Amino acid sequence: MAPENTEAETPDDAREEVAELVKRISASRDAYYGRDAEMVDDATYDSWMQRLEELERLHPELQSQDSPTLTVGAASGTLFDPVTHAERMLSLDNVFSREEFAAWGARVERDAGHPLAYLCEVKIDGLALSLRYENGRLVTAATRGDGRVGEDVTENVRRIPSIPQRLHGDDIPSLFEVRGEVFFTVDDFTALNARQEELGDRLFANPRNAASGSLRQKSEGKNPRQREAMDARLARLRLTVHGIGAWENPPAATQSGLYELLGTWGLPTSAYYRVVDSVSDADDFIRYYGEHRHEVEHEIDGIVIKVDDLALHDELGATSRAPRWAIAYKYPPEQVNTRLLDVVVSVGRTGRATPFAVMEPALVAGSVVRQATLHNQGVVKAKGVLIGDMVVLRKAGDVIPEVLGPVVELRDGSERAFVMPSACPDCGSLLAPAKEGDIDLRCPNTRSCPAQVRGRVEHIGSRGGLDIEGLGEVSAAALTQPLRPESPPLATEAGLFDLTPEQLFPIDVIVRDPETGLARLTESGEPDTRSPFRRQRKRTDPPAGTGGTFDGDADWVLSKAAVELLANIEKAKAAELWRFLVALNIRHVGPVAGRALAQWFGSIAAIRSASREDLAAVEGVGGIIADAVLDWFEVDWHRDIVENWTSAGAQLATPGHPGPGAAATVGGVLEGVTVVATGTLDGYTRDGAQEAIITAGGKAASSVSKKTDFVAAGPGAGSKLSKAEDLGVRVIDAAQFHLLVTEGPSALD
């Protein structure tokens, strides 16, 4: 669910709510696109996005350059090679009611100037894929990624029989991209999970997870049985093509005409689409599949409606993340009843104590649900749920749903009220609001609360931080909250770069259910434990001391995962400076602000010694972030982190950087030139455009003024484009922008 506030009372309230929403959405995206895990259901995620969009409309100054409302998907991971899409791979905006859909239809017809024909098709709940064909042959297949760069999954796609490796027919272009969805049918998914259970392997939560998990895996290192199972899963995957990417002058006037053409070449298109002549007829299509959604061979989560006329696609344009000529109608989530077994409290990276509902497993929309967030004690009270209640659970196809409330009529008197603990369940510190009037309770022990340290360590290893392979949720917990030894290797993140095999070797942890967080028990009723960083010695292992593994016990050696983790941590010492700034967990400092600070100052030392005025003057920083940076360095144990990392060899400065301010003013083809990038610029994300300007020695401004030299404008440019035209500032397109940042202003003459 979105935060309970329907309207932020003050700018500070709005700022905190925006920060919380961005954190939740980003974490959910990272899990969904990067780990094939679903942290929240579609309805909850959509409500977060709706609330964030509302807050950013009310408070435009709170919309950061990397806001989820301006971006698509998530950055690609390190498992697969990156692939740059020839044309950006956008997402879709959503509507959730007939009224919203009718308003969208009225808007596009108003912009087009006449009534339109619409192509309606079911929205497949699968994995988005882009296929690039050259001279009729498949050359690359890539996931969406962040819309500009995806993951190269060509090797696995070549093993999917339903995807043609070579097209046949007339007038096939020399190069074009098609976009589609990879999925399992409901029957194939059922058979797949039955086979998984038979083999003793983990079950997939839903068809989308199964499709993504099957496609985004490597065959290297798998034994013959695992490779056979992988091939069997890939063989069951299907593809439906639903759009195009890069394609110069496609030989069709309509989207439906393209479907027919692609079908003649051997590409599978939807069997569930119809072209209609009005918004009213499209609404009938939506209504029909809302009543017959379970009759479709695959899972669907809505209907996609597109303007059929291709010429209007360019005319109507796109925002930074979605086309204006298409919309997704999302069906209401499904509901079931299940038993609320307990309410447990979890403390996160920022110290916030969050209650979670633990329920009897319930099958909802194709996946088993056991847990849902209750946000805070105020929400628990407002919903009126008691532990032991039969509760109404709402879900829209994902893992973490919403508890709507109790079925009061089924109470038998054994239910009991949830009592919010007064102490942190991880360190025992008294919970308290961060400030007067806050509903949320927080653990004040920011330095050494194991839960907060665990969250910060996990953040350090994330893609947005130092991107350390192997430093995820499990390893972060093992390093900060082990069962044995009693003193964890990381009391704070300060010791991360000093970790040794001797510290990792003795660690034992309690095995916990990944969804509920509760300890798993052995047959004797004792907590189940394991050793994440050591393994039993094999007869084929080299003698102790010769194989590079720590021999702390005659029967055990350091695991491969532990060796690789230490190597990856060592490698991270040379990460870019902006990543270290993000990894330090400074409030408000994300990738955009981190890059700006790193490029301007060149070192942590220079940032630490800078005044508020110097920090705030950096483009993309401002007073709020400047205050957050200064406040962070005021804390002694924060300074200890920097000093320990530096002593351990972490590179907290950009090699060769000439000093504060020099990177933006000395050298480069844009020295002394101010550029504003706005709208969608093909080949560049919003952050990428800013970085390109700064790297070229220019000033990347956020607003247009008489001092602006160029405005690079793409679709969705809005008021900045209008102001540039009013002031007579030169406006350039994406191709000219590329010339500008690579060759300088003279290339545009």
Side-chain angles (χ1 to χ4, degrees):
M1 288 181 63
E4 289 297 296
N5 293 340
T6 57
E7 208 171 304
E9 296 180 357
T10 69
D12 284 343
D13 291 336
R15 184 175 297 108
E16 289 188 8
E17 189 175 356
V18 165
E20 180 67 15
L21 286 166
V22 169
K23 181 184 74 172
R24 293 181 187 177
I25 293 168
S26 299
S28 180
R29 282 184 175 183
D30 186 57
Y32 187 84
Y33 292 103
R35 303 194 303 274
D36 301 324
E38 294 170 328
M39 295 173 61
V40 295
D41 60 281
D42 278 349
T44 300
Y45 180 87
D46 291 335
S47 71
W48 291 348
M49 287 291 288
Q50 285 180 296
R51 178 59 177 162
L52 182 58
E53 288 169 354
E54 178 187 13
L55 287 170
E56 290 179 346
R57 282 196 302 270
L58 295 172
H59 305 275
E61 72 278 5
L62 298 181
Q63 186 181 53
S64 65
Q65 295 173 348
D66 54 355
S67 169
T69 62
L70 300 175
T71 57
V72 174
S76 300
T78 56
L79 184 61
F80 296 92
D81 293 332
V83 172
T84 300
H85 303 303
E87 184 170 314
R88 288 184 314 123
M89 197 170 176
L90 299 176
S91 184
L92 288 171
D93 285 333
N94 300 318
V95 291
F96 302 91
S97 68
R98 300 281 166 67
E99 293 76 15
E100 287 179 310
F101 172 63
W104 173 83
R107 187 165 57 250
V108 295
E109 293 196 355
R110 180 201 66 204
D111 292 344
H114 56 80
L116 300 171
Y118 299 91
L119 183 146
C120 307
E121 60 189 332
V122 298
K123 186 174 182 293
I124 304 170
D125 193 12
L127 176 69
L129 197 66
S130 179
L131 304 177
R132 180 186 178 103
Y133 285 89
E134 294 181 8
N135 299 316
R137 292 182 180 275
L138 177 65
V139 292
T140 56
T143 61
R144 186 199 308 275
D146 63 3
R148 185 176 63 87
V149 179
E151 296 172 315
D152 187 348
V153 290
T154 310
E155 178 183 348
N156 287 345
V157 165
R158 293 194 186 282
R159 295 148 73 183
I160 300 175
S162 65
I163 298 180
Q165 306 301 303
R166 181 172 183 129
L167 306 180
H168 300 281
D170 299 324
D171 301 321
I172 297 174
S174 59
L175 183 152
F176 75 111
E177 289 178 332
V178 292
R179 273 69 191 270
E181 207 82 6
V182 174
F183 62 93
F184 284 107
T185 66
V186 174
D187 288 344
D188 281 343
F189 172 72
T190 302
L192 169 62
N193 257 357
R195 179 61 174 165
Q196 292 288 104
E197 187 173 13
E198 179 181 324
L199 295 174
D201 292 338
R202 72 176 181 90
L203 302 184
F204 291 101
N206 52 51
R208 189 267 168 198
N209 270 12
S212 183
S214 298
L215 190 62
R216 298 177 67 252
Q217 60 178 327
K218 291 279 193 179
S219 59
E220 292 88 341
K222 287 182 167 52
N223 60 43
R225 185 188 71 82
Q226 291 171 325
R227 285 196 295 270
E228 180 182 353
M230 177 179 172
D231 287 339
R233 288 197 296 270
L234 291 172
R236 288 179 178 265
L237 281 173
R238 311 280 188 89
L239 168 76
T240 290
V241 172
H242 54 56
I244 61 172
W247 190 344
E248 188 174 356
N249 300 319
T254 62
Q255 181 87 19
S256 54
L258 272 181
Y259 280 12
E260 295 175 10
L261 179 63
L262 294 172
T264 66
W265 292 345
L267 286 162
T269 55
S270 177
Y272 306 96
Y273 84 91
R274 184 191 311 159
V275 178
V276 299
D277 295 324
S278 68
V279 172
S280 176
D281 288 341
D283 187 75
D284 290 341
F285 187 92
I286 292 170
R287 191 186 308 274
Y288 175 86
Y289 278 104
E291 297 170 355
H292 298 84
R293 60 187 297 183
H294 297 296
E295 297 175 15
V296 180
E297 66 174 351
H298 50 69
E299 291 283 354
I300 67 173
D301 56 5
I303 299 295
V304 177
I305 304 95
K306 305 173 183 177
V307 173
D308 197 34
D309 187 343
L310 290 180
L312 286 173
H313 290 190
D314 289 336
E315 182 177 328
L316 293 170
T319 66
S320 61
R321 64 180 300 273
R324 293 190 174 91
W325 45 264
I327 201 75
Y329 181 97
K330 301 295 283 292
Y331 287 126
E334 297 177 294
Q335 299 180 3
V336 298
N337 290 357
T338 188
R339 184 73 61 186
L340 178 64
L341 302 176
D342 200 359
V343 177
V344 297
V345 173
S346 173
V347 174
R349 171 165 63 107
T350 63
R352 181 185 179 194
T354 303
F356 284 87
V358 179
M359 298 161 291
E360 286 183 349
L363 182 64
V364 193
S367 62
V368 176
V369 176
R370 296 179 175 87
Q371 181 183 22
T373 179
L374 291 169
H375 302 295
N376 55 56
Q377 71 272 26
V379 173
V380 179
K381 183 177 180 180
K383 290 183 180 294
V385 294
L386 302 176
I387 297 171
D389 265 338
M390 183 66 72
V391 296
V392 179
L393 183 66
R394 180 172 64 186
K395 183 175 179 297
D398 294 332
V399 172
I400 302 181
E402 176 189 7
V403 174
L404 294 179
V407 184
V408 177
E409 294 77 9
L410 296 179
R411 286 178 175 167
D412 61 10
S414 64
E415 298 81 13
R416 57 189 173 88
F418 164 70
V419 178
M420 188 73 179
S422 60
C424 172
D426 288 86
C427 71
S429 299
L430 290 179
L431 299 173
K435 62 179 184 293
E436 186 176 353
D438 278 0
I439 296 177
D440 291 338
L441 298 181
R442 296 180 184 272
C443 171
N445 182 17
T446 56
R447 180 185 185 276
S448 55
C449 172
Q452 295 184 60
V453 178
R454 179 193 67 226
R456 294 197 300 266
V457 170
E458 185 180 348
H459 172 72
I460 291 169
S462 69
R463 292 178 185 175
L466 294 180
D467 195 15
I468 301 174
E469 187 76 25
L471 188 58
E473 180 181 0
V474 173
S475 55
L479 292 169
T480 58
Q481 296 176 289
L483 177 65
R484 287 180 293 271
E486 293 183 359
S487 297
L490 294 182
T492 75
E493 57 268 48
L496 177 66
F497 292 105
D498 293 313
L499 286 173
T500 65
E502 289 81 1
Q503 289 176 292
L504 300 188
F505 188 82
I507 291 177
D508 285 333
V509 297
I510 295 176
V511 179
R512 298 183 182 277
D513 185 286
E515 293 182 358
T516 66
L518 299 178
R520 291 179 180 171
L521 302 179
T522 64
E523 292 183 359
S524 63
E526 296 297 318
D528 189 10
T529 64
R530 68 181 175 93
S531 306
F533 297 130
R534 68 179 186 269
R535 63 174 176 83
Q536 285 189 305
R537 185 193 300 279
K538 299 178 183 177
R539 286 181 296 175
T540 56
D541 285 336
T546 65
T549 57
F550 174 70
D551 183 19
D553 188 286
D555 297 321
W556 296 84
V557 293
L558 202 64
S559 69
K560 180 181 178 182
V563 174
E564 291 177 346
L565 174 62
L566 291 173
N568 291 335
I569 291 174
E570 181 67 25
K571 181 181 176 182
K573 291 179 180 179
E576 294 174 274
L577 176 59
W578 71 266
R579 288 189 174 276
F580 280 106
L581 289 168
V582 175
L584 288 173
N585 283 278
I586 302 172
R587 191 178 184 191
H588 303 308
V589 177
V592 173
R595 282 188 174 97
L597 289 166
Q599 289 163 353
W600 185 266
F601 290 99
S603 70
I604 293 286
I607 293 170
R608 178 176 175 179
S609 62
S611 66
R612 183 187 189 278
E613 291 71 23
D614 289 340
L615 292 167
V618 176
E619 187 70 33
V621 177
I624 293 174
I625 296 176
D627 289 337
V629 171
L630 293 173
D631 289 345
W632 192 88
F633 279 108
E634 283 294 315
V635 180
D636 56 357
W637 65 269
H638 288 169
R639 297 192 298 271
D640 289 343
I641 296 171
V642 174
E643 292 168 5
N644 283 27
W645 286 8
T646 302
S647 298
Q651 185 174 277
L652 302 186
T654 301
H657 193 286
T665 58
V666 177
V669 296
L670 292 185
E671 181 177 350
V673 177
T674 299
V675 184
V676 173
T678 181
T680 301
L681 297 172
D682 283 343
Y684 295 89
T685 61
R686 181 172 291 247
D687 290 349
Q690 301 280 332
E691 190 170 346
I693 296 166
I694 296 171
T695 301
K699 178 182 178 182
S702 58
S703 59
V704 180
S705 69
K706 292 181 179 180
K707 295 181 180 180
T708 304
D709 296 294
F710 296 94
V711 171
S719 61
K720 293 180 182 179
L721 175 58
S722 300
K723 188 170 183 180
E725 293 170 342
D726 291 342
L727 294 175
V729 176
R730 184 172 180 181
V731 178
I732 59 177
D733 60 21
Q736 292 170 313
F737 176 73
H738 181 71
L739 284 175
L740 180 68
V741 297
T742 54
E743 301 180 28
S746 61
L748 303 181
D749 296 336

